DNA sequence: ACTAAAAACCACTAAAAACCACTTTTTTCC
DNA sequence: GGAAAAAAGTGGTTTTTAGTGGTTTTTAGT
């Protein structure tokens, strides 16, 4: 399980060093075989261990694709999904299209989210943290929460 | 299965180099024999392995063609469908009518969508990605999703 | 038969992948 | 607490492969 956040840096070739602790967790979870894709609701990337991804991929592929909302999710999630492996120094090379989608530059934040990780541009992460509370319905499960 | 997206360029003759990884996947799936046609809901092209296309073609042909929506789908999908082969350098030559339909210029994006690929003009892809969320019904299967 | 366009072929350039070396930080042992 | 060793992170170099552009040959149409 992944928790906690890390500052990471992307070099000029788009290589990203995975922090050693997360690297170990990934080695346990999936032998370092991961899939990175787009988040549909925010401009950030999702990092999945291979098996986690396989389950999600099936669910997404099964959505009714004449529905616009479902088609949007399919296009983005399947369309950006890229299997990646760590190089000999524990780095991954992020494809240009993923860098573009999440507006990644040098300074990034890698955020643990239990079964996956999120990868944000530091600037977008900070402005998301500063954002006002979202409007709209609050599900019962959220109202019932007690931190 | 096709996932992930690639920047590709079309040269002045309308030739399009298929990225090596996708080329390999296509070689497995269909020996490089593909069919390209129009997408009915967006101005982009669909790239199918031969067998996938054969199945789809039957379904489309079987639609009730007194219905306007069905007739539209038939005209576009069957009408633009073109079998193509890769040249010795792994490129396909896109017919002018397909280029026109999808407003393809030099810079394109090739997007994996599991059993097929989508080919977009980079400009149209970017404006689609930036578009607001679609209105309308959200299927239960979508609401229940958790990325 | 001649012209024009399209297909096949060939050569070069550029980008990606693998490799290697160095710097900095952390940990352990004295 | 300090020094040494190990691990982690960073950057650059080389090699290979993929992508790009141009040239020639064939085919088809007039």
């Amino acid at each position: 399980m992944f928790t906690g956040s890390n500052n990471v840096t992307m070099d000029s070739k788009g290589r990203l060093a995975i922090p050693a602790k997360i690297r170990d967790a990934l080695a346990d979870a999936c032998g370092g075989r991961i899939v990175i894709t787009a988040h549909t609701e925010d401009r950030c990337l999702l990092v999945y261990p291979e098996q986690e991804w396989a389950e999600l991929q099936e669910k997404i592929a099964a959505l009714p694709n004449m529905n616009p909302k479902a088609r949007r999710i399919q296009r983005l999630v399947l369309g950006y999904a890229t299997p990646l492996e760590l190089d000999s120094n524990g780095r991954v090379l992020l494809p240009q299209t993923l860098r573009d989608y999440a507006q990644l530059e040098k300074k990034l934040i890698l955020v643990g989210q239990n079964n996956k990780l999120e990868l944000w541009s530091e600037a977008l992460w900070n402005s998301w943290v500063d954002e006002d509370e979202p409007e709209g319905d609050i599900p019962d499960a959220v109202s019932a929460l007690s931190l």
Side-chain angles (χ1 to χ4, degrees), chain A:
Chain A
M1 290 291 158
F2 308 105
T3 56
S5 60
N6 297 268
N7 291 96
V8 290
T9 63
M10 188 173 63
D11 70 17
S12 58
K13 295 181 180 175
R15 295 181 299 190
L16 175 69
I18 306 293
K21 287 182 183 173
I22 293 174
R23 205 187 299 165
D24 294 342
L26 283 173
D28 288 349
C30 56
R33 298 165 65 87
I34 60 175
V35 174
I36 304 190
T37 191
H39 196 293
T40 59
E41 310 302 311
D42 296 284
R43 285 294 185 119
C44 69
L45 303 180
L46 291 161
V47 182
Y48 287 98
E50 199 178 47
Q51 297 92 312
E52 286 283 338
W53 165 252
E55 291 166 30
L56 180 61
Q57 184 177 11
E58 291 210 9
K59 284 184 207 158
I60 305 266
L63 295 177
N65 74 1
M66 290 304 274
N67 175 279
K69 177 72 179 168
R71 195 163 62 243
R72 182 174 175 85
I73 293 173
Q74 285 183 331
R75 277 227 181 97
L76 292 172
V77 178
L78 298 178
Y80 279 104
T82 311
L84 293 175
E85 289 187 22
L86 308 201
D87 73 9
S88 57
N89 292 341
R91 292 179 289 194
V92 293
L93 178 68
L94 293 172
Q96 187 65 48
T97 51
L98 286 173
R99 281 181 251 167
D100 291 344
Y101 180 82
Q103 297 168 28
L104 304 185
E105 299 181 27
K106 190 169 189 209
K107 301 175 81 173
L108 314 180
I109 308 269
L110 187 62
V111 187
Q113 290 289 298
N114 256 20
N115 61 331
K116 62 183 177 287
L117 299 147
E118 287 183 0
L119 182 62
W120 288 74
S121 120
E122 188 184 56
L124 288 183
W125 173 261
N126 286 333
S127 52
W128 180 84
V129 170
D130 289 339
E131 250 178 33
D132 293 336
E133 288 289 315
E135 302 289 324
D137 294 346
I138 298 174
D140 294 342
V142 174
S143 314
L145 256 189
S146 174
L147 288 183

